């Protein structure tokens, strides 16, 4: 299942939660297909003011950082280059559309590959 964790300063996130979840779900469905809409998981981690630092100092605003859990097999597909590029582009666009276009060039998307057999739901390993 596609799993996204978005870290953003709480003041930037406040009142944007519903729109951000919807936009990211739409982005994943756009890349994977409508079947993914029912299995995408989004965690929004709002970081309190004063707890995000850049260049050695706390900041009031920061570019969002997204960690996208993806199955390792996605990187071995013949179309993996196109798939990864589209994932990064659509997720970045979704976040920028909700939180502000000024962040587009600084949003970080990290794709984290999970090998088959390394995910469990309800205490049972999910293979595939």
């Amino acid at each position: 299942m596609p799993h996204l964790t978005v870290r953003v300063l709480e003041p930037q996130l406040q009142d944007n939660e519903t729109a951000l979840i919807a936009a990211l779900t739409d982005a994943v469905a756009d890349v994977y297909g409508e079947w993914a809409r029912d299995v995408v998981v989004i965690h929004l981690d709002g970081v309190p003011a004063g707890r995000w630092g850049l260049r050695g100092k706390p900041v009031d605003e920061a570019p969002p950082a997204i960690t996208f859990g993806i199955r390792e097999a996605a990187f071995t597909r013949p179309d993996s280059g196109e798939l990864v590029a589209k994932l990064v582009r659509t997720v970045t666009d979704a976040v920028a559309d909700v939180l502000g276009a000024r962040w587009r060039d600084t949003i970080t998307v990290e794709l984290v590959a999970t090998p088959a057999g390394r995910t469990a739901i309800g205490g049972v390993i999910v293979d595939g």
Side-chain angles (χ1 to χ4, degrees):
M1 82 181 71
H3 187 117
L4 291 84
T5 301
V6 181
R7 288 178 188 82
V8 63
L9 279 165
E10 188 63 40
Q12 294 170 254
L13 179 60
Q14 191 169 0
D15 299 325
N16 289 310
E17 296 90 344
T18 300
L20 190 54
I21 289 169
L24 287 167
T25 301
D26 289 345
V28 171
D30 181 51
V31 175
Y32 284 112
E34 280 301 312
W35 67 267
R37 187 175 301 281
D38 291 336
V39 296
V40 68
V41 175
I42 303 195
H43 290 162
L44 302 179
D45 292 346
V47 179
R51 292 193 181 171
W52 192 306
L54 294 173
R55 296 173 286 286
K57 297 179 183 175
V59 294
D60 295 327
E61 289 191 323
I66 298 100
T67 303
F68 192 130
I70 184 172
R71 295 209 182 255
E72 185 178 55
F75 294 104
T76 60
R77 294 170 37 151
D79 64 343
S80 65
E82 295 168 32
L83 174 74
V84 168
K86 189 172 182 182
L87 279 172
V88 169
R89 186 174 57 253
T90 58
V91 166
T92 299
D93 289 346
V95 174
D97 288 348
V98 174
L99 299 181
R102 72 182 186 278
W103 299 114
R104 184 176 313 281
D105 292 340
T106 57
I107 293 168
T108 302
V109 178
E110 179 183 10
L111 301 173
V112 179
T114 303
R118 299 284 174 92
T119 300
I121 298 175
V124 178
I125 298 292
V126 178
D127 194 32

